[in-house]
Amino acid sequence: MDTRNEVKVQEEYIAKLRKLNEGKNLKYNILTMGCQLNENDSEKLCGMLEEIGYSKTDNVKETDIALFNTCCVRENAEDKLFGKLGELKRLKEEKGLIIAIGGCMMQEKHITDKIKESYPFVDIIFGTHTLYKFPEDLYRAIEEKRKIEDVIDVDGEIYEGLPIKRDSKIKASVTIMNGCNNFCTYCIVPYVRGRERSRSPKDIIEEVKSLAKEGYKEITLLGQNVNSYLRVEKEKNIPIEEYEGVNSFATLLRAINKIDGIERIRFVSPHPKDFTDDVIDAIAGCKKVCKLIHLPLQSGNTKVLKEMNRKYSKEQYLNLVDKMKKKIPNLTLSTDIIVGFPGETDEEFEDTLDVVRKVKFEQVYMFIYSRRVGTPGDKMPNQILEEIKHKRFDRLKELVESQIEENNQKYVETVQKVLVEGESKNNPNMLTGRTDSNKVVIFEGDKKLIGEMVSLKIVSEHMWYLKGEVNE
Ligand code: 5AD
Ligand code: SF4
């Protein structure tokens, strides 16, 4: 069946469930783990549930559905899920709520086996390729009163037209591609999200245009490897229907840059090996594209990078950074780093510190290597002792924090354009927003400024945020 027809079938299940639930004032609670792609998937799950007639609650004690959208990139998410399921057992016995678990972790057989064995009270298990079918799975669980397991292992299709309930009215994420073909040896993603496939230019452009009409100001384009947007389609000679000149990632940036109302464009994550000159030129040439670029390093050592199957060397990474810095005025960079990959020696780890010292990242997301069943990394000899991994992590953290402190000083006394996102969580008398470089800025101001771009003079820095004043 055509994917659009399959979405229509789900609309019928939504209507049936809405009728079934009429007047019941039902609630759902959702816990999302992992990356922004998962958050975007959760917004789709929330959209479906709200159309069915459920409203969101943060209080799991009063919920009728407890939904988990899981991640399996690192082990700590598993511990978190099993901990939460343990807590829910009593609530399930008392109230009979529906428990549904979806997302990446459900694509792993050893995990679903464990859930069925140790947490048999879970009602619905669904994977990454069957998210669009959640209304049908929910209907079956309620009407047929049976356990549902809906996990398939395919390359995966793209389903357009699912309802969506977005978390923000100012910033929106737009998934432009699914899956990954890179097979970095530490990473589970290619096994749980399937092969790379891109959404059509028309679907993306039209989604961004309608977001602009709804008043959204910032768009984040999402994908496991955004700068290879449409690459697989080209390699396989799958015809691409160009729309507003879009036939690559660079042309996509340029087309979105022209959409009135959108003021900022971000994207995560690109892969350094695919960072072509046309993309660099598009970033430099598009006023709305933020000049903070996330460029995952993973390791600064050429041998480790080879073992990781990253397809670039330390020098190639540094050369790319130099080229980008030359071509893109005001460029700032953020990155992901893994410490303790199998076989990484102290000396090799020093190379990672060396790259961090040289590049001076604006932000570094640091991870301790986590063995993932089914990945080549898990089978490698010379796994690093936890103790050594932690020591390396602490050294990296110390370096990164000292650099951030130093970097923060540069903001003081400057004027920054800030997109105001809302009241500050810690102090409702203050507003919070972000700079182009994604730094949080807190300031005093009229609530009418929420959703606006304002000029702020930075008056002080505080490690993880800056303080500003409206610049009159
Ligand atoms: N262990 C630790 N970190 C990992 N990442 C991906 N897989 C692993 C793993 N097995 C990190 C990478 C990636 C980020 C999203 O998560 O740095 O860029
Ligand atoms: Fe994982 Fe590498 Fe693909 Fe990123 S590019 S999702 S790290 S395999």
Side-chain angles (χ1 to χ4, degrees):
M1 203 189 325
D2 177 64
T3 58
R4 297 204 190 231
N5 283 337
E6 290 193 38
V7 171
K8 283 215 177 87
V9 170
Q10 296 309 311
E11 282 165 6
E12 286 161 21
Y13 280 106
I14 289 177
K16 279 193 210 172
L17 280 163
R18 194 164 48 223
K19 224 167 168 190
L20 211 67
N21 290 345
E22 224 164 14
K24 289 191 188 157
N25 188 25
L26 297 175
K27 297 200 164 56
Y28 73 96
N29 173 272
I30 183 163
L31 177 77
T32 307
M33 299 165 178
C35 66
Q36 293 188 53
L37 275 149
N38 247 21
E39 279 168 23
N40 193 231
D41 279 348
S42 283
E43 290 182 333
K44 289 170 191 156
L45 288 165
C46 293
M48 297 182 214
L49 281 164
E50 303 238 343
E51 287 217 348
I52 290 168
Y54 289 88
S55 55
K56 196 175 192 165
T57 174
D58 291 332
N59 182 359
V60 77
K61 290 202 174 108
E62 63 165 31
T63 196
D64 300 284
I65 296 187
L67 179 57
F68 296 87
N69 190 9
T70 60
C71 163
C72 58
V73 163
R74 286 171 296 274
E75 191 179 357
N76 43 14
E78 283 160 27
D79 302 340
K80 189 170 171 183
L81 174 70
F82 294 134
K84 292 271 173 201
L85 286 179
E87 287 167 25
L88 276 180
K89 186 167 186 249
R90 232 189 56 213
L91 213 56
K92 173 80 183 172
E93 283 162 4
E94 285 166 10
K95 286 193 49 185
L97 76 166
I98 291 172
I99 301 176
I101 317 179
C104 295
M105 218 191 280
M106 297 306 106
Q107 295 291 138
E108 297 183 290
K109 190 167 176 302
H110 68 280
I111 300 282
T112 51
D113 284 348
K114 179 166 174 179
I115 291 176
K116 283 185 283 184
E117 199 186 303
S118 309
Y119 308 92
F121 52 87
V122 169
D123 299 280
I124 304 171
I125 291 175
F126 62 103
T128 53
H129 305 299
T130 43
L131 178 135
Y132 77 98
K133 271 177 73 194
F134 185 66
E136 180 175 341
D137 291 340
L138 181 60
Y139 182 82
R140 296 232 149 97
I142 294 175
E143 271 298 274
E144 297 167 18
K145 294 196 177 48
R146 64 181 177 95
K147 305 275 176 229
I148 305 288
E149 187 179 356
D150 191 6
V151 181
I152 52 167
D153 201 5
V154 291
D155 284 358
E157 297 281 353
I158 297 211
Y159 292 90
E160 295 292 346
L162 299 177
I164 186 156
K165 170 87 174 32
R166 297 184 181 274
D167 290 338
S168 158
K169 298 215 171 314
I170 299 158
K171 305 199 293 186
S173 341
V174 175
T175 298
I176 63 166
M177 60 191 307
N178 289 329
C180 181
N181 284 1
N182 288 326
F183 292 94
C184 301
T185 53
Y186 50 81
C187 189
I188 191 77
V189 168
Y191 306 90
V192 296
R193 287 215 173 237
R195 297 291 63 71
E196 216 171 282
R197 57 222 172 264
S198 299
R199 285 179 70 198
S200 80
K202 183 175 180 189
D203 286 328
I204 298 171
I205 295 292
E206 287 305 318
E207 182 174 347
V208 177
K209 279 188 179 165
S210 68
L211 287 166
K213 273 202 197 103
E214 286 173 50
Y216 283 90
K217 297 280 166 63
E218 182 175 308
I219 298 295
T220 302
L221 304 174
L222 300 179
Q224 301 297 346
N225 194 1
V226 281
N227 52 347
S228 68
Y229 174 65
L230 292 179
R231 182 188 59 184
V232 170
E233 285 72 8
K234 283 178 196 160
E235 280 170 5
K236 289 190 183 161
N237 283 325
I238 298 171
I240 299 164
E241 244 178 83
E242 261 190 46
Y243 190 71
E244 307 206 342
V246 179
N247 57 16
S248 64
F249 186 59
T251 46
L252 179 66
L253 289 178
R254 290 187 190 278
I256 296 178
N257 192 57
K258 285 190 202 135
I259 298 177
D260 283 341
I262 299 301
E263 299 198 29
R264 270 186 180 168
I265 304 163
R266 299 187 189 275
F267 54 86
V268 277
S269 282
H271 195 301
K273 77 174 164 63
D274 298 316
F275 227 106
T276 45
D277 286 349
D278 63 338
V279 174
I280 298 176
D281 292 340
I283 297 168
C286 292
K287 250 179 84 185
K288 297 176 183 175
V289 175
C290 291
K291 303 306 180 246
L292 169 80
I293 304 299
H294 188 66
L295 196 64
L297 170 67
Q298 311 302 1
S299 164
N301 177 269
T302 299
K303 183 170 152 274
V304 175
L305 285 167
K306 194 158 190 327
E307 299 278 307
M308 287 178 161
N309 193 28
R310 291 291 290 174
K311 301 196 174 79
Y312 53 85
S313 64
K314 176 185 184 183
E315 287 66 36
Q316 281 169 327
Y317 186 93
L318 287 172
N319 289 343
L320 174 64
V321 168
D322 274 350
K323 179 156 77 175
M324 289 169 73
K325 281 186 173 166
K326 276 192 197 114
K327 282 194 167 184
I328 307 169
N330 302 320
L331 177 80
T332 55
L333 290 159
S334 61
T335 200
D336 290 346
I337 291 175
I338 299 175
V339 302
F341 183 75
E344 183 190 65
T345 64
D346 279 335
E347 243 182 356
E348 288 162 356
F349 172 65
E350 288 299 324
D351 271 334
T352 297
L353 298 178
D354 186 46
V355 174
V356 171
R357 275 188 210 106
K358 288 194 167 114
V359 178
K360 295 198 167 58
F361 294 102
E362 190 72 30
Q363 174 78 268
V364 181
Y365 300 91
M366 297 168 271
F367 305 106
I368 289 176
Y369 172 69
S370 171
R371 291 175 79 160
R372 305 286 70 209
V373 175
T375 62
D378 186 40
K379 297 185 199 90
M380 287 181 185
N382 309 326
Q383 298 286 331
I384 307 293
L385 287 174
E386 286 305 310
E387 196 188 313
I388 297 178
K389 287 190 207 169
H390 279 91
K391 274 200 183 125
R392 287 184 192 159
F393 183 87
D394 291 344
R395 273 194 69 203
L396 176 62
K397 186 163 170 264
E398 199 182 313
L399 171 63
V400 166
E401 287 182 357
S402 74
Q403 284 192 327
I404 288 179
E405 236 175 80
E406 196 187 314
N407 187 44
N408 278 350
Q409 306 290 341
K410 285 193 211 137
Y411 284 94
V412 180
E413 297 295 315
T414 64
V415 173
Q416 298 285 327
K417 279 232 152 71
V418 167
L419 177 60
V420 187
E421 291 173 13
E423 290 171 9
S424 161
K425 270 196 194 122
N426 300 330
N427 181 354
N429 295 325
M430 305 284 275
L431 296 178
T432 178
R434 281 174 193 263
T435 62
D436 178 287
S437 59
N438 216 25
K439 277 256 170 236
V440 172
V441 188
I442 314 279
F443 68 104
E444 237 173 88
D446 196 314
K447 304 251 183 309
K448 276 193 283 200
L449 294 176
I450 295 173
E452 300 296 320
M453 196 75 93
V454 294
S455 274
L456 297 180
K457 186 170 166 205
I458 305 303
V459 291
S460 60
E461 55 86 19
H462 306 261
M463 196 71 193
W464 300 116
Y465 68 95
L466 306 170
K467 255 191 188 157
E469 281 172 1
V470 176
N471 188 39
E472 269 144 339

